[in-house]
Amino acid sequence: DQQVKQNSPSLSVQEGRISILNCDYTNSMFDYFLWYKKYPAEGPTFLISISSIKDKNEDGRFTVFLNKSAKHLSLHIVPSQPGDSAVYFCAATAGNMLTFGGGTRLMVKP
Amino acid sequence: DAGVIQSPRHEVTEMGQEVTLRCKPISGHNSLFWYRQTMMRGLELLIYFNNNVPIDDSGMPEDRFSAKMPNASFSTLKIQPSEPRDSAVYFCASSRIFDRGAYEQYFGPGTRLTVT
């Protein structure tokens, strides 16, 4: 039973445009959500997070939106850059343990 | 800080052999997590420790897997005997626990294990 799902395995975007990565979850106990970025041959690195008491968190080019009623969160990257090409994982937690989605491979074309 | 350190980075072994993966967490972090990444199952948590004590090992696939954390700066994940289906990338991550739990986890570079 996948509690965190990323339904798009890959996404291709032109440099300078917006990238939108989506994530759905089923466990209503999750109260904190995170996005990680992973380059090949490296471990995931923390990107941005949001608490369930908020609906938006912004950090530079990255914004995470949370829709609790829909159990949906999204990551917006504006403008997208070729260096953003990586696999993005969303994760959710109700305590110490993170539950990860399957990841979305983002390709930003120059 | 050097970040989370894992060794070896790559391990190739034959079926039936014992494999030991090592992790040094970030200094000051009091939670440590072992993950496995495969194409089929994605990134799955195997076990995690708080203050060197194993808290949840429900993700450990079977008795062939064991993990220890003898002190705050070192942990091992052992597979004995190894099987080809254990081939995966194994990540170690560490975090600092706050009152409401450990959130941002910092991952090591991973160990790519191949069992032939």
Side-chain angles (χ1 to χ4, degrees):
Chain A
D1 175 30
Q2 278 189 292
Q3 297 188 65
V4 179
K5 283 187 180 180
Q6 294 175 255
N7 291 318
S8 298
S10 64
L11 174 67
S12 183
V13 171
Q14 204 69 33
E15 180 180 6
R17 307 295 286 267
I18 184 172
S19 296
I20 300 176
L21 297 101
N22 294 302
C23 180
D24 298 293
Y25 63 96
T26 57
N27 189 342
S28 56
M29 297 299 291
F30 288 145
D31 61 358
Y32 202 81
F33 304 88
L34 307 91
W35 284 94
Y36 281 80
K37 180 169 71 174
K38 185 183 181 304
Y39 292 118
E42 295 182 11
T45 56
F46 170 72
L47 191 58
I48 191 170
S49 62
I50 187 168
S51 165
S52 61
I53 62 174
K54 295 185 176 181
D55 55 17
K56 176 182 174 182
N57 188 27
E58 190 172 350
D59 183 3
R61 297 186 296 114
F62 302 90
T63 303
V64 56
F65 295 92
L66 175 63
N67 182 335
K68 283 179 58 180
S69 60
K71 293 192 176 67
H72 177 84
L73 65 154
S74 60
L75 175 68
H76 293 210
I77 307 173
V78 180
S80 301
Q81 299 174 354
D84 296 329
S85 297
V87 177
Y88 290 78
F89 292 94
C90 69
T93 181
N96 286 357
M97 294 167 57
L98 292 180
T99 301
F100 284 86
T104 297
R105 181 177 302 277
L106 173 65
M107 292 163 283
V108 180
K109 296 183 283 189
Chain B
D1 198 320
V4 176
I5 299 173
Q6 290 187 248
S7 64
R9 292 294 310 274
H10 302 273
E11 177 79 38
V12 180
T13 190
E14 291 184 349
M15 182 173 65
Q17 296 297 307
E18 177 180 297
V19 174
T20 299
L21 311 182
R22 296 173 176 80
C23 175
K24 176 178 168 52
I26 293 173
S27 177
H29 283 188
N30 49 9
S31 279
L32 184 139
F33 306 80
W34 281 101
Y35 290 89
R36 177 171 68 175
Q37 184 183 25
T38 61
M39 290 292 292
M40 293 295 294
R41 301 175 69 89
L43 196 61
E44 53 179 341
L45 177 67
L46 301 177
I47 184 172
Y48 85 94
F49 297 82
N50 280 355
N51 296 315
N52 313 337
V53 176
I55 302 300
D56 190 322
D57 65 354
S58 59
M60 297 284 262
E62 45 197 278
D63 292 344
R64 297 183 297 106
F65 285 69
S66 62
K68 293 182 180 179
M69 192 165 186
N71 57 62
S73 59
F74 184 66
S75 177
T76 59
L77 177 68
K78 186 177 293 186
I79 308 172
Q80 165 63 15
S82 58
E83 296 182 3
R85 61 193 168 118
D86 301 331
S87 298
V89 181
Y90 291 81
F91 290 103
C92 175
S94 71
S95 180
R96 184 177 293 124
I97 302 176
F98 298 98
D99 288 342
R100 294 190 65 236
Y103 295 146
E104 289 84 8
Q105 295 179 14
Y106 296 82
F107 283 75
T111 295
R112 180 173 294 278
L113 173 65
T114 303
V115 183
T116 61

